């Protein structure tokens, strides 16, 4: 839980500090605002960039060998986008590599419309993902209508970016430390005369900057109403169409739908309602700002948040812009303190670099060959480590990274033994028991599925079949038989498989070890621990 909270706050801190960059107004004749808007609305371009992670060691003496291995693996990991070609808003190709403590893994990404294809060295096939599968809000609609609405909504995102950015920029105050100078530098081996904006933001400046933004936003009645009006024009046609389609199967009273339609059909009414609601909400937050911030900090992790909101947190960024107000180069360093001494890390540092050229010029986005088929990423969601690893070659660096370094297949299962004289129920099948031969018996389905295997029952043959892609084992067990078949070969069982209350129980050690697990019994707690790396 602590790690999840830490990850959330680090992500929020980074996002907040990067957002503040958009508040830079014109400094020494340099229109940083327009440059940022130009960068956000590029139609085509070529670029290269990298993001490097540095873990500054703290007290590592208390780290487990596994934690030290993870530290060495992740420290100085670098994600490189060696070549990025954006042909237009619908087509892009990336050639990159992930470098970490044990090697380098090249990859390519191709985007066509809402479809993403990822080719990673070591994968048996390219991975594919449709952004439409992640868009929610229309699950109750027929598939064709859902897809059409989602595509229309995504097409509106390009219109939303400059609208929202302009409003934020207009109301965000400048950071305290910002300067501009003229420099000569190279971009893609081309020497250019550029303007460099150096920006430095400390964690102690964040809350005052956010408060200043909210104060300006409340005072900017015209700007906020203009923003809401533009959002209405962009989004309302899609929202109304979605509601219209959903109302066919809706049980809501027609009077409610009529009222909502009346609000949505009247732009002035809708904008005024949203403006009043938002303004009152922000004013309430500002009136209780100090108390709210104090409660928010202490509710999560006061020492860590105090550190993040101190001068120990620093973002330094250099933005290089040409005479056309286009960002051509970026250097940024972010340092975040870590106060949890048990983590072995005293600070996290991120270094980002980027160069951009061929801005709004003809650029060709390559494609990835998918003639041999693809692996759907959505099928590997939900922690399906077995499916993920089975899609990767075992002798590849990618497999070693996933299994040996990131431990994606690691399992640690604790089972409580049913004691003598207890009654067994089907819903108690997760509890092993000791049979008359002194053998620990477990539900074959329960343990196999806990270890990521697939299980099928053949009632006619009284057989249960376990297919494990990770160990490449096919185990077939027949009720009351003293042997099982493992990849076609007979293997003797300590006790035969039996059916108890509709559940097939088999020797626990047999199933666990066949699927790559280790078994430990603890007599004092009457428990069994099954682990797998």
């Amino acid at each position: 839980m602590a790690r999840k909270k830490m990850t959330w706050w680090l992500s929020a801190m980074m996002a907040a500090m990067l957002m503040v960059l958009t508040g830079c107004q014109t400094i020494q004749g340099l229109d940083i605002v327009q440059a940022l808007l130009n960068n956000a609305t590029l139609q085509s371009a070529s670029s290269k960039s990298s993001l490097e992670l540095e873990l500054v060691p703290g007290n590592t003496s208390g780290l487990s060998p596994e934690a030290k291995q993870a530290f060495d693996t992740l420290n100085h990991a670098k994600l490189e986008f060696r070549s990025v070609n954006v042909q237009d808003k619908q087509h892009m190709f990336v050639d990159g590599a992930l470098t970490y403590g044990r090697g380098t893994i090249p990859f390519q990404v191709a985007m066509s419309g809402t479809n993403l294809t990822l080719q990673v060295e070591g994968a048996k096939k390219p991975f594919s993902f449709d952004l439409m599968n992640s868009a929610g809000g229309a699950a109750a609609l027929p598939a064709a209508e859902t897809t059409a609405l989602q595509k229309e909504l995504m097409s509106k995102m390009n219109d939303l970016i400059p609208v929202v950015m302009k409003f934020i920029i207009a109301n965000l105050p400048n950071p305290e430390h910002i300067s501009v100078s003229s420099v000569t530098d190279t971009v893609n081996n081309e020497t250019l005369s550029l303007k460099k904006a150096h920006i430095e933001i400390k964690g102690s400046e964040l809350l005052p900057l956010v408060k200043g933004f909210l104060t300006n936003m409340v005072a900017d009645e015209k700007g906020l109403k203009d923003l809401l009006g533009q959002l209405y024009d962009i989004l309302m046609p899609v929202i109304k169409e979605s509601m219209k389609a959903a109302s066919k199967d809706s049980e809501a009273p027609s009077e409610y739908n009529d009222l909502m339609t009346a609000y949505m059909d009247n732009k002035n009414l809708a904008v005024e309602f949203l403006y009043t609601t938002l303004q009152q909400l922000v004013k309430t937050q500002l009136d209780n700002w100090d108390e709210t911030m104090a409660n928010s900090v202490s509710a999560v992790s006061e020492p860590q948040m105090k550190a993040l909101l101190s001068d120990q947190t620093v973002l330094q960024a250099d933005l290089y812009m040409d005479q056309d107000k286009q960002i051509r180069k970026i250097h940024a360093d972010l340092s975040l303190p870590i106060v949890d001494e048990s983590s072995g890390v005293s600070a996290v540092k991120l270094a980002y670099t980027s160069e951009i050229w061929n801005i709004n010029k003809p650029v060709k986005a390559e494609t990835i060959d998918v003639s041999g088929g693809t692996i759907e990423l959505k099928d590997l969601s939900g922690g399906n480590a077995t499916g993920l690893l089975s899609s990767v070659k075992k002798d590849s660096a990618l497999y070693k990274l996933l299994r040996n370094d990131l431990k994606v297949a690691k399992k640690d299962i604790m089972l409580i033994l049913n004691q003598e004289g207890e009654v067994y129920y089907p819903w108690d099948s997760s509890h092993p028991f000791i049979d008359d031969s002194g053998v620990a018996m477990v539900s074959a389905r329960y343990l196999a599925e806990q270890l990521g295997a697939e299980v099928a029952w053949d009632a006619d043959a009284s057989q249960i079949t376990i297919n494990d892609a990770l160990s490449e084992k096919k185990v077939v067990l027949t009720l009351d038989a003293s042997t099982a078949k493992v990849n076609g070969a007979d293997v003797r069982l300590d006790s035969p498989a039996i059916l108890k209350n509709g559940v097939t129980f088999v020797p626990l050690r047999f199933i666990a070890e066949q699927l790559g697990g280790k078994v430990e019994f603890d007599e004092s707690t009457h428990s069994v621990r099954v682990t797998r790396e």
Side-chain angles (χ1 to χ4, degrees), residues 347-378:
V348 173
K349 292 185 177 181
L350 293 171
Y352 174 77
T353 64
S354 175
E355 294 183 17
I356 309 171
W357 63 96
N358 287 338
I359 294 176
N360 294 328
K361 294 181 180 179
V363 173
K364 180 64 176 177
E366 300 176 49
T367 58
I368 294 174
D369 182 11
V370 295
S371 59
T374 64
I375 300 169
E376 292 283 346
L377 277 178
K378 65 181 178 64

Side-chain angles (χ1 to χ4, degrees), residues 519-531:
V519 180
E520 295 178 346
F521 286 87
D522 188 335
E523 295 293 342
S524 64
T525 60
H526 302 287
S527 65
V528 184
R529 187 174 187 177
V530 179
T531 58

Side-chain angles (χ1 to χ4, degrees), residues 27-150:
I27 302 293
Q28 299 177 26
L30 179 61
D31 192 347
I32 302 176
V33 169
Q34 190 59 52
L36 289 165
L37 284 172
N38 289 341
N39 183 257
T41 56
L42 287 177
Q43 298 302 308
S44 63
S46 299
S47 65
K48 60 182 178 181
S49 60
S50 69
L51 179 65
E52 183 173 0
L53 169 70
E54 179 186 354
L55 303 176
V56 181
N59 182 5
T60 59
S61 60
L63 294 181
S64 65
E66 183 179 292
K68 288 182 179 179
Q69 178 181 326
F71 183 96
D72 294 337
T73 299
L74 295 175
N75 196 18
H76 296 293
K78 178 184 285 189
L79 186 62
E80 294 181 276
F81 300 101
R82 298 178 293 204
S83 174
V84 180
N85 288 321
V86 179
Q87 181 173 321
D88 51 44
K89 294 293 185 181
Q90 300 294 317
H91 300 88
M92 176 181 70
F93 181 82
V94 179
D95 178 68
L98 172 65
T99 301
Y100 62 107
R102 299 180 185 275
T104 299
I105 301 175
F107 64 87
Q108 292 81 39
V109 181
M111 183 186 81
S112 178
T114 63
N115 296 308
L116 291 179
T117 305
L118 169 64
Q119 176 67 68
V120 185
E121 185 175 277
K124 296 176 181 178
K125 294 180 180 180
F127 299 100
S128 61
F129 179 64
D130 190 341
L131 295 175
M132 290 293 96
N133 291 328
S134 66
L141 304 182
E145 293 183 19
T146 298
T147 301
L149 286 170
Q150 289 173 334

Side-chain angles (χ1 to χ4, degrees), residues 191-206:
T191 302
L192 300 173
S193 296
L194 303 167
K195 290 283 189 178
K196 182 180 80 171
H198 176 76
I199 303 165
E200 183 174 326
I201 304 171
K202 296 181 179 180
S204 57
E205 300 175 55
L206 269 180

